[in-house]
Amino acid sequence: MKSLCLVTVGVLAMTLLIASISLLVAHVFQTVVDLQVKQGTVLKNGTETFEAWEDPPPPVYMQFYFFNVANPLEVLQGDTPLVEEIGPYTYREYRPRVHVQFLDNGTKVSALNPKTYVFEPEKSVGDPEVDLIRTVNIPAVTAMEWTRSTPLQFATEVLLLLYQESLFTVHSVHELLWGYKDRLLSTIHLLHPEIDPVFGFFNKMNGTDDGEYVFLSGETNYLNFSRIVEWKGKESLSWWTTKACNMINGTDGTSFHPLISKDEKIYIFSSDFCRSLYLVYDSSGTVAGIPTYRFVPSSMVFANTTVNPDNAGFCVPPGNCPGTGVLNVSVCKQGAPIFLSAPHFYQADQKFIEDIEGMNPKKEYHETFLDINPLTGLVLKAAKRMQINVHVRKLPEFFETGNIRTLIFPVMYINESVLIDEGSASKLKHVLLEASVVTGIPFVIMALGIVFGIVFIVLVCRSRGISEESTEDERSPLIRTS
């Protein structure tokens, strides 16, 4: 009977150990979890995934920072500009998706994404209605660039004199953001109705959308979850000079497919940047106790053409490349000489930083990043940071430009950030706990196998010990001779 128990314990221990190792090698339970995550990450009406995509619960904040010009007269004489950063002016951003329609048997979803901004005074440095900023007169600079060496040049000069316009102007934060009626643009509007008489960096962008998007639902392939396939009815852009640069790649940056690995590129299409870009793995960390991978824009995205020849398609006109870290987006901004970069020219050519006194780029404040949970693809923390600059130069045809040097002049930058809320974090932790329990089953089986193995060893040792401890009489012969 004892031998039978011993054999049973030994066989059970060996079976459990072999089973656990087999399950670990075959990734059976990890495959089960991955399959459940894939099946659950689909844009399907009535699911939690769809509801979170349609109206994301985590609060989004938009912070605006302005560069106030301290020495405008000296700049017109050719001196280095001195700017002072003023901000943040913080707004709560509401961005639900509306007019959602399912297309092609649920494999595609179309939607509009209007954004509404509500001022948050307790998170801001001042009152945007009151605080004044001296900055580049973008309407005047744009008009001069439009009409130089054209028959309208003289008329533009007359209007600049009539309205007493100069290269720099003073307006409130509210006016610069949401718009003010510009006299010069109003006059041009009479001849060219397509020119908006109101100028503001976010003019007509509060409570409005940037066009209809068509997304893949992830029904047929989890890797296509929320990937954009159309914007404004088109499958590609038309601003740039190569097919690759005009491609619409990736999601809108608010959601990603599950099961993200460290070696993949995360693609995003941003209408603000007028292009697609990609991010690469930077580091691992945690947000609210949840594991994350941090992705940041690759240095190749805004590299000059000597480092990344593929960026030549973003040089408009062809061959006119501004340098590393700066993107000329005038082609998608009605011809206004607008250039985009990271705040304070972070990771841009050193010349841009040295040309402006007051630039102090720092990774922790000026880098765009995404903290993504690799299992679910959910964004736990993120910051999109973008600086708006104006290309200024001396134009002999217009005395308003004085002797200013050719500069990429910083005007303002934004920090659009999100952090997962407590409710969403709690739900995600519960999902991750369930996944950990399932994937931990092989280790539980292995632990049981080890326990039974220890019991088996103990029983074997005890049985041997008992046999060795028999008495002298038990060891003596049965028949004794005298």
Side-chain angles (χ1 to χ4, degrees):
M1 185 66 180
K2 290 182 179 180
S3 299
L4 180 61
C5 290
L6 196 63
V7 171
T8 302
V9 171
V11 171
L12 183 58
M14 186 62 67
T15 302
L16 290 172
L17 288 172
I18 293 174
S20 64
I21 294 172
S22 300
L23 291 172
L24 286 172
V25 172
H27 301 289
V28 173
F29 288 97
Q30 185 64 56
T31 302
V32 171
V33 170
D34 292 350
L35 182 60
Q36 289 180 336
V37 172
K38 291 176 184 177
Q39 292 174 343
T41 312
V42 177
L43 295 178
K44 188 179 295 184
N45 208 356
T47 63
E48 286 190 13
T49 299
F50 175 75
E51 291 174 359
W53 175 84
E54 187 178 34
D55 191 9
V60 179
Y61 291 97
M62 179 72 91
Q63 294 179 309
F64 299 97
Y65 297 81
F66 289 85
F67 294 109
N68 188 64
V69 182
N71 60 339
L73 296 179
E74 291 80 359
V75 173
L76 289 174
Q77 295 170 4
D79 288 356
T80 299
L82 172 61
V83 298
E84 175 191 7
E85 180 183 302
I86 299 179
Y89 295 90
T90 305
Y91 292 76
R92 173 73 185 271
E93 180 180 330
Y94 298 89
R95 46 190 306 165
R97 292 185 171 89
V98 299
H99 302 302
V100 178
Q101 293 183 321
F102 289 89
L103 311 171
D104 297 350
N105 296 321
T107 60
K108 295 180 180 179
V109 185
S110 66
L112 298 175
N113 191 200
K115 299 176 183 178
T116 303
Y117 301 92
V118 179
F119 183 60
E120 297 274 347
E122 68 279 3
K123 298 179 182 293
S124 305
V125 297
D127 187 346
E129 300 271 6
V130 176
D131 295 355
L132 300 177
I133 302 293
R134 181 189 292 110
T135 187
V136 177
N137 189 343
I138 295 179
V141 171
T142 302
M144 287 186 278
E145 291 286 357
W146 277 344
T147 60
R148 66 184 296 264
S149 303
T150 72
L152 295 176
Q153 176 184 310
F154 178 74
T156 301
E157 180 62 42
V158 170
L159 289 174
L160 291 170
L161 291 171
L162 179 65
Y163 297 139
Q164 297 181 334
E165 299 283 358
S166 66
L167 196 67
F168 296 98
T169 187
V170 177
H171 285 281
S172 69
V173 169
H174 182 85
E175 289 175 329
L176 290 172
L177 285 177
W178 311 115
Y180 61 91
K181 192 168 184 179
D182 184 81
R183 291 182 297 177
L184 182 60
L185 292 180
S186 297
T187 304
I188 296 175
H189 174 74
L190 297 176
L191 299 175
H192 297 278
E194 72 277 9
I195 301 300
D196 196 329
V198 177
F199 172 78
F201 293 110
F202 282 75
N203 176 36
K204 297 180 179 178
M205 293 175 66
N206 195 349
T208 60
D209 60 81
D210 61 343
E212 184 183 58
Y213 289 84
V214 177
F215 306 87
L216 293 177
S217 67
E219 181 75 36
T220 58
N221 188 336
Y222 79 97
L223 293 172
N224 288 330
F225 173 72
S226 72
R227 183 168 69 84
I228 301 169
V229 291
E230 287 185 24
W231 178 55
K232 291 186 174 181
K234 297 182 179 180
E235 296 181 353
S236 62
L237 308 174
S238 58
W239 296 311
W240 312 112
T241 59
T242 64
K243 183 178 180 181
C245 291
N246 278 318
M247 292 177 66
I248 297 177
N249 289 329
T251 72
D252 60 2
T254 61
S255 56
F256 300 92
H257 68 78
L259 308 180
I260 290 176
S261 65
K262 295 179 180 179
D263 58 353
E264 70 177 289
K265 297 177 180 178
I266 300 294
Y267 282 89
I268 295 174
F269 170 71
S270 172
S271 62
D272 295 331
F273 280 98
C274 307
R275 59 166 290 183
S276 300
L277 54 130
Y278 66 90
L279 293 82
V280 295
Y281 172 81
D282 177 69
S283 59
S284 298
T286 60
V287 175
I290 301 170
T292 59
Y293 289 166
R294 171 162 290 192
F295 285 80
V296 300
S298 168
S299 58
M300 298 292 285
V301 171
F302 296 109
N304 62 44
T305 52
T306 58
V307 176
N308 185 5
D310 292 339
N311 281 344
F314 294 113
C315 300
V316 179
N320 185 22
C321 305
T324 293
V326 174
L327 177 67
N328 180 359
V329 293
S330 57
V331 290
C332 60
K333 303 296 181 183
Q334 292 187 309
I338 301 296
F339 287 62
L340 301 181
S341 69
H344 286 252
F345 297 112
Y346 173 71
Q347 289 189 326
D349 283 341
Q350 189 64 26
K351 66 176 182 178
F352 298 121
I353 301 171
E354 295 174 350
D355 280 346
I356 308 293
E357 189 174 345
M359 295 292 98
N360 187 24
K362 292 184 179 180
K363 177 183 177 71
E364 60 268 33
Y365 299 126
H366 304 138
E367 182 179 54
T368 293
F369 68 86
L370 291 170
D371 287 342
I372 305 173
N373 175 251
L375 177 64
T376 61
L378 293 177
V379 177
L380 275 64
K381 185 179 181 180
K384 182 177 79 173
R385 293 156 174 169
M386 177 185 73
Q387 181 169 296
I388 298 175
N389 311 281
V390 184
H391 181 255
V392 296
R393 56 178 173 167
K394 178 179 179 178
L395 299 175
E397 302 89 345
F398 298 98
F399 81 92
E400 288 82 3
T401 59
N403 290 315
I404 192 170
R405 293 186 289 164
T406 300
L407 298 166
I408 302 297
F409 208 109
V411 176
M412 63 166 291
Y413 73 87
I414 65 170
N415 177 27
E416 186 178 25
S417 61
V418 63
L419 175 64
I420 190 170
D421 59 290
E422 291 184 7
S424 300
S426 178
K427 288 181 180 179
L428 181 55
K429 286 180 180 178
H430 181 70
V431 170
L432 295 177
L433 178 61
E434 289 182 344
S436 297
V437 170
V438 174
T439 55
I441 289 176
F443 295 101
V444 175
I445 296 173
M446 181 179 289
L448 290 173
I450 293 173
V451 170
F452 278 107
I454 294 172
V455 171
F456 174 75
I457 294 172
V458 171
L459 291 175
V460 169
C461 292
R462 287 187 64 184
S463 64
R464 288 182 177 178
I466 291 173
S467 64
E468 292 174 358
E469 292 174 2
S470 57
T471 64
E472 183 178 347
D473 289 339
E474 291 174 332
R475 295 194 299 269
S476 64
L478 295 176
I479 301 175
R480 298 180 180 178
T481 57
S482 55

